[in-house]
Amino acid sequence: MTTTLATMTNADPRFYTLLGPYLARRDVHRQVGGPIYDDDNKTWIIATDNGAVTGFIGIRSQGGVVAESCYLVDENDTDLLALLIRAALACVAPTPVRATVRHARAAVYTSAGFTEAGRTNGFAKLVHPGTTPSPTPAT
């Protein structure tokens, strides 16, 4: 598998071709924990393999930086999840980042330097101090 990462906003001509099919799908919303919005102030990191989307994560500014809307075609691909998290952190470093993720994914975020700041029934609220992340290993 050869993973390529692209960073873009919804103004990029490729955006809706790549992510459009994922924005309103119920299975995507179930995995992420809610609907995904294509807000103008959001930057997306999209992982592809031979042109096919394998996952993505959104980053937006709202009272600080929030990493959200992380989806994986193979929801158990923790290596891809870690790659997307590291790419998101690198994109905004050294700014602190918040994320709210399903409990099953929290360990991958804490391995990337996030700490748990709270919990709800289904989600962990995480914060990253904003230090420069370690280099992303080649995939």
Side-chain angles (χ1 to χ4, degrees):
M1 179 163 105
T2 303
T3 301
T4 302
L5 298 179
T7 302
M8 65 183 70
T9 68
N10 65 1
D12 189 295
R14 301 168 296 161
F15 179 80
Y16 288 102
T17 301
L18 288 170
L19 285 193
Y22 297 92
L23 295 177
R25 285 187 19 200
R26 286 182 177 90
D27 62 319
V28 174
H29 295 180
R30 273 191 296 277
Q31 186 185 130
V32 171
I36 296 174
Y37 297 102
D38 58 342
D39 298 322
D40 291 340
N41 68 338
K42 193 180 286 187
T43 299
W44 295 87
I45 299 169
I46 304 166
T48 59
D49 183 9
N50 292 321
V53 172
T54 56
F56 53 82
I57 191 168
I59 310 157
R60 68 179 168 87
S61 294
Q62 182 177 338
V65 174
V66 178
E68 62 184 16
S69 304
C70 186
Y71 173 76
L72 305 171
V73 171
D74 174 358
E75 66 183 292
N76 297 313
D77 189 345
T78 56
D79 291 337
L80 179 58
L81 177 57
L83 178 67
L84 288 168
I85 293 166
R86 286 191 307 268
L89 291 171
C91 186
V92 299
T95 305
V97 179
R98 295 185 325 265
T100 301
V101 303
R102 293 200 176 274
H103 294 298
R105 290 194 171 169
V108 181
Y109 281 78
T110 56
S111 291
F114 282 80
T115 56
E116 192 171 303
R119 281 184 162 248
T120 65
N121 282 342
F123 296 91
K125 296 179 180 189
L126 305 164
V127 293
H128 189 280
T131 55
T132 303
S134 59
T136 302
T139 56

